Amino acid sequence: MEPGSNARTDVISRVRVATTNLCGGLSPGRSSLDGSGSQGSKLTYIESLCSEDGRMDAVRIQDTGISGQSVPAAVLDYLEPCGHQLVLQGASLVSTNTRTFVLGIGILVHSSWTITHTLRDTHGHRALAVLMEKDHGRARLIVCCAYLPPGLDSCTAHSRKACEARRVCN
């Protein structure tokens, strides 16, 4: 930049990103979107994180309960007035002795940003990234969301969980 130039160099002074686990709360049919059940209240919660009060630039979401990449119509209808964008990644199925869980992930992006590219894990469906920009490309940011196996902090480097986590991240 030339001396005396008035060009802005502080396009982004602070970026705020949150992470939340919805315990399957966005899955269609779990409950109504009128706020009386878990889907409505959890959707209201993640949207409020991007509202003027919370003002997150992005929210990484784990355990959406949605088994595909299509955002359900009821969720789109809810987000439309605020203009936030939601990108979903297909799910991994995890079974226990009593239940099968759908571990979908997503990223909610504030309306002030534009998603220019989406990167998806094509093998295990546990990783997702979006390239976001604002101010006509003067500010760019990559936000990643990965749903890694629990308990990695107590695993050895060559354990099954650690090997799975490396595979997802590579």
Side-chain angles (χ1 to χ4, degrees), residues 127-154:
L128 171 68
V130 293
L131 174 59
M132 311 168 6
E133 69 176 36
K134 68 189 306 185
D135 294 332
H136 306 290
R138 291 180 51 211
R140 291 187 179 159
L141 178 67
I142 295 176
V143 175
C144 304
C145 182
Y147 203 134
L148 298 177
L152 285 176
D153 51 350
S154 61

mmCIF file of all heavy atoms in Angstrom, residues 127-154:
data_model
loop_
_atom_site.group_PDB
_atom_site.id
_atom_site.type_symbol
_atom_site.label_atom_id
_atom_site.label_comp_id
_atom_site.label_asym_id
_atom_site.label_seq_id
_atom_site.Cartn_x
_atom_site.Cartn_y
_atom_site.Cartn_z
ATOM 1 N N ALA A 127 -16.391 -35.260 7.512
ATOM 2 C CA ALA A 127 -15.668 -33.992 7.415
ATOM 3 C C ALA A 127 -16.306 -33.119 6.337
ATOM 4 O O ALA A 127 -16.777 -33.614 5.320
ATOM 5 C CB ALA A 127 -14.193 -34.231 7.106
ATOM 6 N N LEU A 128 -16.307 -31.808 6.601
ATOM 7 C CA LEU A 128 -16.933 -30.838 5.711
ATOM 8 C C LEU A 128 -16.184 -29.521 5.869
ATOM 9 O O LEU A 128 -15.766 -29.165 6.971
ATOM 10 C CB LEU A 128 -18.406 -30.657 6.113
ATOM 11 C CG LEU A 128 -19.225 -29.551 5.470
ATOM 12 C CD1 LEU A 128 -19.444 -29.855 3.981
ATOM 13 C CD2 LEU A 128 -20.568 -29.424 6.177
ATOM 14 N N ALA A 129 -16.007 -28.805 4.784
ATOM 15 C CA ALA A 129 -15.389 -27.480 4.841
ATOM 16 C C ALA A 129 -16.078 -26.567 3.844
ATOM 17 O O ALA A 129 -16.536 -27.022 2.790
ATOM 18 C CB ALA A 129 -13.891 -27.558 4.539
ATOM 19 N N VAL A 130 -16.166 -25.294 4.176
ATOM 20 C CA VAL A 130 -16.691 -24.301 3.255
ATOM 21 C C VAL A 130 -15.682 -23.163 3.136
ATOM 22 O O VAL A 130 -15.037 -22.780 4.112
ATOM 23 C CB VAL A 130 -18.070 -23.737 3.684
ATOM 24 C CG1 VAL A 130 -19.137 -24.802 3.616
ATOM 25 C CG2 VAL A 130 -18.028 -23.106 5.046
ATOM 26 N N LEU A 131 -15.520 -22.665 1.915
ATOM 27 C CA LEU A 131 -14.746 -21.457 1.669
ATOM 28 C C LEU A 131 -15.754 -20.320 1.609
ATOM 29 O O LEU A 131 -16.697 -20.351 0.810
ATOM 30 C CB LEU A 131 -13.958 -21.557 0.368
ATOM 31 C CG LEU A 131 -13.209 -20.300 -0.077
ATOM 32 C CD1 LEU A 131 -12.191 -19.864 0.974
ATOM 33 C CD2 LEU A 131 -12.529 -20.523 -1.402
ATOM 34 N N MET A 132 -15.576 -19.350 2.493
ATOM 35 C CA MET A 132 -16.503 -18.227 2.599
ATOM 36 C C MET A 132 -15.760 -16.946 2.240
ATOM 37 O O MET A 132 -14.557 -16.842 2.461
ATOM 38 C CB MET A 132 -17.024 -18.094 4.039
ATOM 39 C CG MET A 132 -17.519 -19.360 4.631
ATOM 40 S SD MET A 132 -17.837 -19.376 6.436
ATOM 41 C CE MET A 132 -17.623 -17.743 7.040
ATOM 42 N N GLU A 133 -16.520 -15.987 1.695
ATOM 43 C CA GLU A 133 -15.905 -14.684 1.449
ATOM 44 C C GLU A 133 -16.924 -13.583 1.677
ATOM 45 O O GLU A 133 -18.133 -13.817 1.666
ATOM 46 C CB GLU A 133 -15.298 -14.601 0.051
ATOM 47 C CG GLU A 133 -16.258 -14.585 -1.086
ATOM 48 C CD GLU A 133 -15.566 -14.404 -2.431
ATOM 49 O OE1 GLU A 133 -14.454 -14.923 -2.635
ATOM 50 O OE2 GLU A 133 -16.172 -13.731 -3.272
ATOM 51 N N LYS A 134 -16.393 -12.389 1.893
ATOM 52 C CA LYS A 134 -17.239 -11.201 2.049
ATOM 53 C C LYS A 134 -16.489 -9.998 1.520
ATOM 54 O O LYS A 134 -15.307 -10.090 1.187
ATOM 55 C CB LYS A 134 -17.683 -11.015 3.505
ATOM 56 C CG LYS A 134 -16.586 -10.662 4.462
ATOM 57 C CD LYS A 134 -16.966 -10.673 5.929
ATOM 58 C CE LYS A 134 -18.123 -9.853 6.312
ATOM 59 N NZ LYS A 134 -18.358 -9.810 7.769
ATOM 60 N N ASP A 135 -17.152 -8.898 1.438
ATOM 61 C CA ASP A 135 -16.563 -7.649 0.926
ATOM 62 C C ASP A 135 -15.937 -7.858 -0.442
ATOM 63 O O ASP A 135 -14.791 -7.491 -0.685
ATOM 64 C CB ASP A 135 -15.543 -7.068 1.913
ATOM 65 C CG ASP A 135 -16.181 -6.615 3.210
ATOM 66 O OD1 ASP A 135 -17.374 -6.244 3.182
ATOM 67 O OD2 ASP A 135 -15.503 -6.641 4.247
ATOM 68 N N HIS A 136 -16.709 -8.494 -1.340
ATOM 69 C CA HIS A 136 -16.306 -8.719 -2.734
ATOM 70 C C HIS A 136 -14.969 -9.455 -2.843
ATOM 71 O O HIS A 136 -14.121 -9.114 -3.649
ATOM 72 C CB HIS A 136 -16.256 -7.399 -3.493
ATOM 73 C CG HIS A 136 -17.539 -6.632 -3.396
ATOM 74 N ND1 HIS A 136 -18.697 -7.039 -4.008
ATOM 75 C CD2 HIS A 136 -17.859 -5.499 -2.713
ATOM 76 C CE1 HIS A 136 -19.664 -6.190 -3.733
ATOM 77 N NE2 HIS A 136 -19.186 -5.256 -2.937
ATOM 78 N N GLY A 137 -14.789 -10.448 -1.994
ATOM 79 C CA GLY A 137 -13.593 -11.282 -2.047
ATOM 80 C C GLY A 137 -12.398 -10.737 -1.298
ATOM 81 O O GLY A 137 -11.340 -11.361 -1.286
ATOM 82 N N ARG A 138 -12.537 -9.591 -0.645
ATOM 83 C CA ARG A 138 -11.403 -9.034 0.102
ATOM 84 C C ARG A 138 -11.139 -9.805 1.383
ATOM 85 O O ARG A 138 -10.043 -9.720 1.945
ATOM 86 C CB ARG A 138 -11.652 -7.565 0.419
ATOM 87 C CG ARG A 138 -11.600 -6.703 -0.838
ATOM 88 C CD ARG A 138 -11.851 -5.234 -0.574
ATOM 89 N NE ARG A 138 -10.999 -4.722 0.486
ATOM 90 C CZ ARG A 138 -11.376 -3.745 1.297
ATOM 91 N NH1 ARG A 138 -12.572 -3.211 1.193
ATOM 92 N NH2 ARG A 138 -10.554 -3.299 2.229
ATOM 93 N N ALA A 139 -12.133 -10.533 1.858
ATOM 94 C CA ALA A 139 -11.964 -11.360 3.056
ATOM 95 C C ALA A 139 -12.383 -12.783 2.710
ATOM 96 O O ALA A 139 -13.481 -13.000 2.187
ATOM 97 C CB ALA A 139 -12.823 -10.819 4.193
ATOM 98 N N ARG A 140 -11.510 -13.733 2.962
ATOM 99 C CA ARG A 140 -11.801 -15.148 2.701
ATOM 100 C C ARG A 140 -11.455 -15.958 3.934
ATOM 101 O O ARG A 140 -10.503 -15.670 4.639
ATOM 102 C CB ARG A 140 -10.993 -15.654 1.516
ATOM 103 C CG ARG A 140 -11.442 -15.057 0.228
ATOM 104 C CD ARG A 140 -10.758 -15.684 -0.936
ATOM 105 N NE ARG A 140 -11.270 -15.077 -2.145
ATOM 106 C CZ ARG A 140 -10.641 -15.099 -3.278
ATOM 107 N NH1 ARG A 140 -9.481 -15.723 -3.380
ATOM 108 N NH2 ARG A 140 -11.164 -14.524 -4.331
ATOM 109 N N LEU A 141 -12.253 -17.017 4.125
ATOM 110 C CA LEU A 141 -12.073 -17.849 5.307
ATOM 111 C C LEU A 141 -12.515 -19.263 4.983
ATOM 112 O O LEU A 141 -13.519 -19.455 4.300
ATOM 113 C CB LEU A 141 -12.936 -17.287 6.452
ATOM 114 C CG LEU A 141 -12.947 -18.020 7.780
ATOM 115 C CD1 LEU A 141 -11.579 -17.918 8.449
ATOM 116 C CD2 LEU A 141 -14.035 -17.436 8.677
ATOM 117 N N ILE A 142 -11.767 -20.251 5.449
ATOM 118 C CA ILE A 142 -12.181 -21.647 5.344
ATOM 119 C C ILE A 142 -12.614 -22.097 6.738
ATOM 120 O O ILE A 142 -11.872 -21.929 7.701
ATOM 121 C CB ILE A 142 -11.042 -22.557 4.840
ATOM 122 C CG1 ILE A 142 -10.664 -22.188 3.413
ATOM 123 C CG2 ILE A 142 -11.448 -24.021 4.915
ATOM 124 C CD1 ILE A 142 -9.480 -22.973 2.867
ATOM 125 N N VAL A 143 -13.821 -22.645 6.823
ATOM 126 C CA VAL A 143 -14.330 -23.189 8.080
ATOM 127 C C VAL A 143 -14.511 -24.685 7.885
ATOM 128 O O VAL A 143 -15.133 -25.117 6.914
ATOM 129 C CB VAL A 143 -15.667 -22.531 8.487
ATOM 130 C CG1 VAL A 143 -16.242 -23.200 9.723
ATOM 131 C CG2 VAL A 143 -15.467 -21.049 8.731
ATOM 132 N N CYS A 144 -13.950 -25.461 8.796
ATOM 133 C CA CYS A 144 -14.014 -26.924 8.717
ATOM 134 C C CYS A 144 -14.808 -27.470 9.895
ATOM 135 O O CYS A 144 -14.763 -26.925 10.986
ATOM 136 C CB CYS A 144 -12.612 -27.533 8.771
ATOM 137 S SG CYS A 144 -11.514 -26.909 7.514
ATOM 138 N N CYS A 145 -15.496 -28.576 9.632
ATOM 139 C CA CYS A 145 -16.214 -29.288 10.680
ATOM 140 C C CYS A 145 -15.903 -30.768 10.500
ATOM 141 O O CYS A 145 -16.067 -31.305 9.399
ATOM 142 C CB CYS A 145 -17.709 -29.034 10.565
ATOM 143 S SG CYS A 145 -18.679 -29.827 11.866
ATOM 144 N N ALA A 146 -15.432 -31.404 11.538
ATOM 145 C CA ALA A 146 -15.124 -32.835 11.481
ATOM 146 C C ALA A 146 -15.714 -33.516 12.701
ATOM 147 O O ALA A 146 -15.598 -33.014 13.820
ATOM 148 C CB ALA A 146 -13.619 -33.068 11.429
ATOM 149 N N TYR A 147 -16.373 -34.613 12.467
ATOM 150 C CA TYR A 147 -16.949 -35.395 13.557
ATOM 151 C C TYR A 147 -16.030 -36.587 13.764
ATOM 152 O O TYR A 147 -16.134 -37.597 13.098
ATOM 153 C CB TYR A 147 -18.360 -35.855 13.197
ATOM 154 C CG TYR A 147 -19.214 -36.158 14.403
ATOM 155 C CD1 TYR A 147 -20.502 -35.687 14.486
ATOM 156 C CD2 TYR A 147 -18.736 -36.920 15.461
ATOM 157 C CE1 TYR A 147 -21.301 -35.963 15.583
ATOM 158 C CE2 TYR A 147 -19.515 -37.187 16.553
ATOM 159 C CZ TYR A 147 -20.803 -36.711 16.618
ATOM 160 O OH TYR A 147 -21.575 -36.978 17.700
ATOM 161 N N LEU A 148 -15.091 -36.447 14.687
ATOM 162 C CA LEU A 148 -14.097 -37.479 14.924
ATOM 163 C C LEU A 148 -14.579 -38.415 16.032
ATOM 164 O O LEU A 148 -15.434 -38.056 16.833
ATOM 165 C CB LEU A 148 -12.766 -36.837 15.291
ATOM 166 C CG LEU A 148 -12.174 -35.951 14.183
ATOM 167 C CD1 LEU A 148 -10.896 -35.293 14.661
ATOM 168 C CD2 LEU A 148 -11.931 -36.734 12.916
ATOM 169 N N PRO A 149 -14.026 -39.615 16.074
ATOM 170 C CA PRO A 149 -14.439 -40.572 17.106
ATOM 171 C C PRO A 149 -14.191 -40.008 18.506
ATOM 172 O O PRO A 149 -13.208 -39.306 18.737
ATOM 173 C CB PRO A 149 -13.530 -41.783 16.856
ATOM 174 C CG PRO A 149 -13.053 -41.635 15.460
ATOM 175 C CD PRO A 149 -13.015 -40.160 15.182
ATOM 176 N N PRO A 150 -15.086 -40.291 19.454
ATOM 177 C CA PRO A 150 -14.896 -39.796 20.818
ATOM 178 C C PRO A 150 -13.718 -40.494 21.508
ATOM 179 O O PRO A 150 -13.338 -41.597 21.135
ATOM 180 C CB PRO A 150 -16.217 -40.148 21.516
ATOM 181 C CG PRO A 150 -16.765 -41.289 20.731
ATOM 182 C CD PRO A 150 -16.310 -41.090 19.312
ATOM 183 N N GLY A 151 -13.153 -39.835 22.483
ATOM 184 C CA GLY A 151 -12.105 -40.437 23.297
ATOM 185 C C GLY A 151 -10.717 -40.408 22.682
ATOM 186 O O GLY A 151 -9.824 -41.124 23.144
ATOM 187 N N LEU A 152 -10.481 -39.588 21.662
ATOM 188 C CA LEU A 152 -9.157 -39.563 21.025
ATOM 189 C C LEU A 152 -8.058 -39.099 21.968
ATOM 190 O O LEU A 152 -6.900 -39.476 21.813
ATOM 191 C CB LEU A 152 -9.175 -38.669 19.788
ATOM 192 C CG LEU A 152 -9.858 -39.244 18.564
ATOM 193 C CD1 LEU A 152 -9.873 -38.208 17.445
ATOM 194 C CD2 LEU A 152 -9.167 -40.501 18.097
ATOM 195 N N ASP A 153 -8.400 -38.285 22.939
ATOM 196 C CA ASP A 153 -7.375 -37.768 23.846
ATOM 197 C C ASP A 153 -6.777 -38.844 24.747
ATOM 198 O O ASP A 153 -5.712 -38.654 25.323
ATOM 199 C CB ASP A 153 -7.922 -36.619 24.694
ATOM 200 C CG ASP A 153 -9.234 -36.950 25.378
ATOM 201 O OD1 ASP A 153 -9.829 -38.002 25.066
ATOM 202 O OD2 ASP A 153 -9.659 -36.152 26.217
ATOM 203 N N SER A 154 -7.420 -40.005 24.841
ATOM 204 C CA SER A 154 -6.874 -41.079 25.674
ATOM 205 C C SER A 154 -6.424 -42.294 24.847
ATOM 206 O O SER A 154 -6.197 -43.362 25.403
ATOM 207 C CB SER A 154 -7.924 -41.514 26.706
ATOM 208 O OG SER A 154 -9.072 -42.012 26.046
#
